[in-house]
Amino acid sequence: METLYNPNFNPLEFEGIRVEAGLNAFTMSSTRWVELTNAIGIKQKDTN
């Protein structure tokens, strides 16, 4: 859905993340997700 509504989404970075997601040591924060993919579908709350 992100690619339909977000012209700035980075699908190449998403593919790399998708491959890594199968590894046991994989972790992903919402902040990292947004920074890497330019996603807008996840909103995060600043805790500071």
Side-chain angles (χ1 to χ4, degrees):
M1 292 299 283
E2 189 78 39
T3 55
L4 291 175
Y5 298 107
N6 181 0
N8 296 320
F9 185 70
N10 186 341
L12 295 176
E13 191 67 45
F14 170 73
E15 282 301 315
I17 293 168
R18 191 175 67 80
V19 170
E20 284 183 44
L23 303 175
N24 289 337
F26 178 77
T27 59
M28 176 64 67
S29 68
S30 58
T31 302
R32 185 169 177 234
W33 171 259
V34 170
E35 288 172 353
L36 293 175
T37 64
N38 297 319
I40 58 174
I42 295 177
K43 300 201 184 236
Q44 66 187 49
K45 179 180 177 183
D46 188 8
T47 58
N48 293 332

